[in-house]
């Protein structure tokens, strides 16, 4: 099996990063250059159906593509901390620069402190500007210009457009990812691709209850890449897999086919189940259909392992405006309104900063596995998104970072 990865970044980085990726057996790289990082989302959309995964040469184009909702495949970015930052410090020292008096963008102060601490370098005069959503290249240039006036010896940047401006004004150094950093990112990406492939192959069974026959249902099921069979007098069995169902429901957030069927049928209740076996998927589909019948005459529900039920679509009358958001969300994700209120307070406190399941567990005073289950349900409903991983500080698995959008 060959995996094709779309490598997105500036002209001077893409070829080297792609070449490092192609050292891995079974991996081919599609080289996708840009002149300015703002072009990254358009590049992703133009090549969305041509690759299996995305590898960005830095966090900036990755963030821009993610915020544009362009990422429809597993995606990671090459981290510029660790070996990349240490390699840059060595090169700057050899060139005669004082690395203890530098300005650096994109990388956080904590990451700089960790690298400099390992190299026994003081950093009390090192100034950093971490990348955040909405930060423009003009803002980054202005940061380095201010630090230059304050005594910085060299500007270190991770952004090509910033470097092109700074190199004419002051000593500037462009961070380029080390081979080690690229290989680390590639390993992470391949794990995501493998996990996605396993998930996409999961059996998805649906039970559809229609009031008067299957008019139009066969065509809708064909759009899911599935097959249709009669299960009971007014109930039909839909057989498909997770991947097509995920795409057709917009990431398990809606089921457009329900509305189309509702135009022709008085009652349309559909329950989907995702399982690792046909028996498990059927049991979950039965549970989903039972839940759909309780919700209303035109309802679709998806049931997952772990007692998770997601209401994909329903024509049930909405609650009063003051209650609509949390009431509907609680119905969709299977969490109580009080729990959602507490999560919303956490969201208000941290803003756009990502959180780990451990931090959510501490805030809500629940076990970490309970927090992981909550975040997973919110992610499936499009109310939380994974932004990366954080080393747990132990030999265990790294903690997943989530950004709440509740």
């Amino acid at each position: 099996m060959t995996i094709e990865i779309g490598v997105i970044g500036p002209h001077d980085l893409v070829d080297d990063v792609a070449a490092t990726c192609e050292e891995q057996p079974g991996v081919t790289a599609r080289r996708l250059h840009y002149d300015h990082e703002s072009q990254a989302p358009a590049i992703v959309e133009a090549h969305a159906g041509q690759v299996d995964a995305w590898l960005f040469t830095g966090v900036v184009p990755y963030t821009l593509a993610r915020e544009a909702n362009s990422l429809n495949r597993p995606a990671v970015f090459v981290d510029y901390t660790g070996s990349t930052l240490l390699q840059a410090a060595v090169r700057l020292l050899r060139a005669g620069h004082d690395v203890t008096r530098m300005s650096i963008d994109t990388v956080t102060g904590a990451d700089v402190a960790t690298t400099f601490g390992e190299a026994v370098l003081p950093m009390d005069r090192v100034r950093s500007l971490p990348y955040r959503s909405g930060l423009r290249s003009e803002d980054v240039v202005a940061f380095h210009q201010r630090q230059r006036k304050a005594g910085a010896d060299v500007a270190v940047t991770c952004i090509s457009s910033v470097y092109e401006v700074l190199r004419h004004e002051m000593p500037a150094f462009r961070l380029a990812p080390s081979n080690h950093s690229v290989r680390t990112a590639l390993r992470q990406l391949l794990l995501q691709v493998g996990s996605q492939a396993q998930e996409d192959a999961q059996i998805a069974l649906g039970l559809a209850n229609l009031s008067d026959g299957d008019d139009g249902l066969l065509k809708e099921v064909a759009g899911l890449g599935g097959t249709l069979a009669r299960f009971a007098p007014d109930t039909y069995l839909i057989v498909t897999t997770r991947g097509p169902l995920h795409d057709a429901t917009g990431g398990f957030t809606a089921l457009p086919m329900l509305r189309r069927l509702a135009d022709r049928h008085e009652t349309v209740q559909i329950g989907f189940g995702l399982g690792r076996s046909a028996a498990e998927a059927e049991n979950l589909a039965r549970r989903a259909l039972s839940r759909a019948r309780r919700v209303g005459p035109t309802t679709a529900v998806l049931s997952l392992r772990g007692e998770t039920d997601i209401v994909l679509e329903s024509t049930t009358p909405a609650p009063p405006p003051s209650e609509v958001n949390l009431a509907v969300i609680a119905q969709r994700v299977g969490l109580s309104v009080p729990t959602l209120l507490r999560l919303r307070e956490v969201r208000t406190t941290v803003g756009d900063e990502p959180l780990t399941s451990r931090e959510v567990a501490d805030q809500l005073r629940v076990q970490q596995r309970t927090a992981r289950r909550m975040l997973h349900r919110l992610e499936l409903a499009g109310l939380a998104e994974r932004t990366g991983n954080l080393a747990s500080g132990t030999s265990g698995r790294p903690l997943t970072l989530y950004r709440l959008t509740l």
Side-chain angles (χ1 to χ4, degrees), residues 73-86:
R73 298 285 188 274
V76 301
F77 60 88
V78 181
D79 187 24
Y80 281 23
T81 60
S83 62
T84 294
L85 187 55
L86 186 60

Side-chain angles (χ1 to χ4, degrees), residues 60 80-93 95 97-108 112 115-116 125-131 135 137 139-141 143-145 147-148 152-164 166-167 170-177:
V60 177
Y80 281 23
T81 60
S83 62
T84 294
L85 187 55
L86 186 60
Q87 185 181 87
V90 171
R91 290 182 177 177
L92 287 168
L93 286 169
H97 291 289
D98 184 357
V99 297
T100 66
R101 292 190 300 116
M102 74 176 185
S103 57
I104 181 170
D105 61 55
T106 306
V107 182
T108 67
V112 177
T115 301
F116 273 47
R125 297 189 64 185
V126 175
R127 299 293 178 264
S128 63
L129 178 68
Y131 182 74
L135 192 67
S137 57
D139 301 325
V140 180
V141 169
F143 159 75
H144 287 292
Q145 290 170 336
Q147 298 309 316
R148 178 65 174 174
D153 179 66
V154 61
V156 177
T157 181
C158 303
I159 307 172
S160 57
S161 61
V162 172
Y163 175 74
E164 289 304 317
L166 294 179
R167 68 189 184 93
M170 64 185 76
F173 183 85
R174 169 85 178 289
L175 272 182

Side-chain angles (χ1 to χ4, degrees), residues 11-54:
H11 293 270
D12 59 340
L13 294 184
V14 165
D15 287 340
D16 289 342
V17 171
T20 301
C21 290
E22 290 177 333
E23 293 173 359
Q24 175 74 27
V27 171
T28 62
R30 183 181 291 261
R31 292 156 172 80
L32 302 170
H33 313 86
Y34 58 65
D35 298 316
H36 192 277
E37 57 273 5
S38 61
Q39 299 169 342
I43 292 175
V44 170
E45 291 174 3
H47 300 272
Q50 302 169 9
V51 300
D52 301 302
W54 299 107

